[in-house]
Amino acid sequence: MKSIPISLTCLLALAGCQVVPDRLPQAEPAPAASCYFPAAQEQALETSVEVLTEWGFTLNSTDTPLGLISASRERPLHGYYDPYDDAFGYGHGMRLFGGLGVGRGSGVGFGIAGGFGGGVGQQPVEVERVSLLVDDAHIRISRDIRRFDHWGDLRESYSASNDDFCQRFQTRFAQTLPATGRPL
């Protein structure tokens, strides 16, 4: 009977150790200021789609009434491996494992299996996703990059709404404007 109050006390003490986060999740690093820029023209959505497809992005979805575009592109990562996974020299060339066994007077067995650093015939990939929101007078760009290993498991993910990408987009967007469009 004494074990129930002690167990309950321990349970309550452990429940008090749970903490809540001090802030809501947010993109880190924060998007660059150049990822929000003015675009006062009627065909900003179409021009944005044109720039993204020119750069090799595939449109995933669009919502014209909202002014939302979602696009992505994928590229293979040759020689990519998870630097934190050192099991069996992962990603560092050949790995072998096997064994030798002798049964009780009735048989001998030997086995070996190996491979060259890779997985099951899949290539590690990097997926770059871009979302654009075109409102009445501005364009907002959000970009992230995710890297998947040869097993298809997510290994890295980060916000890539950096100054370089957004400025290149702004420059190309301004060059692609139709001749009838109003200047920015």
Side-chain angles (χ1 to χ4, degrees):
M1 286 277 195
K2 287 188 175 189
S3 65
I4 293 175
I6 293 173
S7 299
L8 187 59
T9 305
C10 290
L11 182 65
L12 289 174
L14 287 175
C17 292
Q18 183 179 1
V19 296
V20 295
D22 58 346
R23 63 183 170 95
L24 292 174
Q26 50 189 321
E28 293 190 23
S34 61
C35 292
Y36 183 73
F37 60 94
Q41 68 146 333
E42 295 82 21
Q43 296 180 337
L45 196 65
E46 293 84 1
T47 305
S48 298
V49 168
E50 189 177 327
V51 170
L52 288 174
T53 54
E54 179 183 304
W55 285 359
F57 284 90
T58 303
L59 293 180
N60 296 338
S61 63
T62 58
D63 191 341
T64 308
L66 289 178
L68 183 64
I69 301 169
S70 177
S72 66
R73 66 180 170 188
E74 187 176 296
R75 71 178 183 96
L77 294 174
H78 300 288
Y80 177 79
Y81 69 97
D82 182 11
Y84 304 108
D85 185 7
D86 287 331
F88 304 111
Y90 175 72
H92 300 289
M94 188 170 166
R95 55 185 167 164
L96 294 173
F97 56 92
L100 174 67
V102 177
R104 185 178 169 133
S106 60
V108 174
F110 180 76
I112 190 163
F116 284 94
V120 240
Q122 295 181 3
Q123 180 71 29
V125 294
E126 177 181 89
V127 178
E128 181 179 359
R129 298 184 308 175
V130 175
S131 297
L132 275 93
L133 180 63
V134 180
D135 63 11
D136 294 333
H138 290 86
I139 293 180
R140 181 180 305 272
I141 302 173
S142 175
R143 176 176 166 242
D144 69 84
I145 294 178
R146 299 181 304 163
R147 291 187 174 145
F148 296 91
D149 66 5
H150 63 284
W151 296 104
D153 294 333
L154 179 66
R155 290 300 179 176
E156 290 181 65
S157 179
Y158 57 93
S159 173
S161 301
N162 56 19
D163 206 32
D164 175 54
F165 180 83
C166 294
Q167 284 184 354
R168 284 188 297 124
F169 184 87
Q170 281 186 46
T171 303
R172 188 65 190 130
F173 181 84
Q175 293 170 352
T176 311
L177 287 175
T180 59
R182 290 181 287 173
L184 290 174

